[in-house]
Amino acid sequence: MQTVATPDPRLSAVRVLDRVIPGKGDGESLREVLRDFPLAGSDGGLMRDISFGVCRHLRPLNHWLNQQLSKPLKASAQPVRLALLAGLYELWFTERPAHAIVNAYPALCRKLKAPWAAGLSNAVLRKASQLPAEHALADATPNIRLSLPDWLYKRWRQDWPDQADAIAQANLHTPPFTLRVNRQQQQRAGAIAALGEGARPGELSPWSIYVTPARPVFDLPGFEQGALSVQDEAAQLPAELLQAPPTGRILDACAAPGGKTGQLREKFPNAELVALELEGKRLRRIEENLARLNATATLLQGDASQPDSWWDGKPFDAILLDAPCSATGILRRQPDVKWHRKSSDIPVLADLQARMLDALWPLLKPGGMLVYATCSVLREENDHQISAFLQRQPQARDVTPRPEQATMVDAGWQLFPQQDGPDGFYLACLRKGAQQDT
């Protein structure tokens, strides 16, 4: 009987990274590529950890490796470079035995059909195993140590001179595992008791729970029945703060993958809920997420910036606009975004956000609320965006509740990523005046 060889998780990680890290092309999404490598158990965990870890720490790893090479590696040797970076990541940022790591990568180079690199791998990783990361990177500039592209580090320093380094540092850590309790099925205290040791309540959202360490979702009590959903605590705030009549009409614009749609249905079980998404494939993701919650909504395919193509003319009591953005607040969850995003993307995104705000505002009833949200920490997409909107729309009032200790911004509420806490996020609650200005 023929035995099937078990995939090498380190080799699989290098294959993943070769598609994600921009080389010849623009690079694919890390989360999308990982779906093509369905390794389970500890092998899957190792592959994912290396893939995410190299993306998070790419710049300092590259910096040190370049110093060790007498001549640059050819572009065709990109897989070898990625294998060396993976070894460096494991040595410096995990607690795995150094000898096992050093021994694993020469063999991996042979599997990559690059036997010439086995000796290089052995020499580079042996040297690295004798050096703590902080010593190896002592000469690196802050933007290199914090593993950021120059444009983004400069932008954060401009926007948040006092917080920029802390934001960057938080994004180098593995994000916490956060859940949302389905209030239609259970109370938070009961869910925490059922989850047992390692479960604690969040401080910002009344239905959030942090679980340490992370667990497979199907090990969570009631997950398959929709009693719990995986959702960051900050991402729970827009739907939580949205106000609407119990039987009102609510629009969830840019709704995929459907986490906030499900949350809105849990909060407003008797409302008329409409979920809008541009792409049919992403619309199906919403449908799947709602099905697990045993929930329904009216699903529409359309462009939030062009309501004429999908709106039936009936106004909404409340609108949630989770706008397309730079994702600079969730780089710990999507570290590959750092290397795909460009400075020139930001004005384009800001223009799209402004067009969506202006297009959706007329669809809101007088007295209604629009909640604008992004997973960004760039002011051009956040409080500067909303300040400009308030100037254009004299009917709009910023009624965002925010804690006294929140960072002061021109409008709305800006959250920064916190280790063992919420992601970087922004939201603004906008109330529409009861009557037209004359």
Side-chain angles (χ1 to χ4, degrees), residues 300-329:
L300 294 181
Q301 185 171 354
D303 185 339
S305 69
Q306 297 177 357
D308 288 351
S309 64
W310 52 266
W311 185 43
D312 61 5
K314 186 179 174 186
F316 293 95
D317 293 282
I319 297 174
L320 173 54
L321 172 56
D322 188 3
C325 73
S326 63
T328 46

Side-chain angles (χ1 to χ4, degrees), residues 9 13 30 34 37-41 43-53:
L30 176 56
L34 281 170
F37 293 81
L39 272 66
D43 282 351
L46 176 59
M47 176 194 68
R48 287 188 293 274
D49 177 65
I50 293 171
S51 301
F52 276 92

Side-chain angles (χ1 to χ4, degrees), residues 204 234 237 376-377 413-418 422-427:
L204 298 175
L237 292 172
S376 169
V377 288
W413 179 8
Q414 179 70 63
L415 295 95
F416 299 122
Q418 303 290 329
D423 285 339
F425 208 82
Y426 175 83
L427 69 151

